[in-house]
Amino acid sequence: MTDAPAYFAHPTAVLDEGCRIGAGCRIWHFSHLMPGCELGEQCSIGQNVMIADGVRLGRNVKVQNNVSLYSGVVCEDDVFLGPSVVFTNVKNPRSAVPRRGEGHYQTTYLEQGVSIGANSTIVCGVRLGHYAFVGAGSVVTKDVAPFALVYGNPARPHGWMSAYGHQLQFDNAGHATCPESGEQYELTADQQVKRISSIQNL
């Protein structure tokens, strides 16, 4: 059931044979890990979370209460999923038309450091770039650029966020500084953000 026995699971959690759980993970009340899912080290899984076959979570992923991660969802390290975030894996579901398994499920990919606010919906088939920030209650229907701040229905760009979660204010030369970390960022001519100095290993 697990590659490493050094994890905590509440007695009400259901851990199916074949799930893989990294060392230091914490799995709370009434959560269900299905066969074939994989959790990296130090993940935190809140109450009433379902993680389906084929889902992969990197290291230090935090999943808050009432989130269902369906087949096709991949999260790199340090991803944060707020309470009641919704994922999908089929774009054109019909109850009477079988659309299960390979060839039907679409991949939703969250790069390192992505944060998704509570009650957001992530439509399948999108990729969220590293350290992208999705505001609460948003509906994401398109790819999100690295460091972008998006929110709304549908989610649209509203600025840029640092790796520490602060909105960046760029000067006329296209430079910004994170007020917490002091890290430096550059806004390129093609409207992409690059981190040009890193104080901490984030």
Side-chain angles (χ1 to χ4, degrees), residues 30-126:
F30 310 113
S31 289
H32 181 194
L33 275 59
M34 299 180 69
C37 71
E38 181 177 346
L39 279 61
E41 296 180 353
Q42 302 296 326
C43 290
S44 176
I45 308 301
Q47 296 185 33
N48 193 37
V49 171
M50 189 281 292
I51 304 179
D53 177 23
V55 172
R56 299 199 314 273
L57 305 184
R59 187 180 188 281
N60 192 42
V61 174
K62 292 180 170 60
V63 183
Q64 302 298 297
N65 298 349
N66 306 313
V67 176
S68 291
L69 296 164
Y70 296 107
S71 299
V73 175
V74 178
C75 298
E76 292 186 354
D77 297 348
D78 303 319
V79 166
F80 176 89
L81 304 178
S84 302
V85 166
V86 174
F87 289 91
T88 66
N89 60 6
V90 175
K91 281 199 172 178
N92 59 339
R94 291 294 197 193
S95 179
V97 181
R99 292 193 174 111
R100 294 177 59 86
E102 189 174 351
H104 294 288
Y105 295 156
Q106 298 194 32
T107 299
T108 300
Y109 199 100
L110 282 62
E111 296 181 5
Q112 181 177 6
V114 166
S115 290
I116 301 181
N119 292 301
S120 294
T121 297
I122 313 300
V123 175
C124 59
V126 298

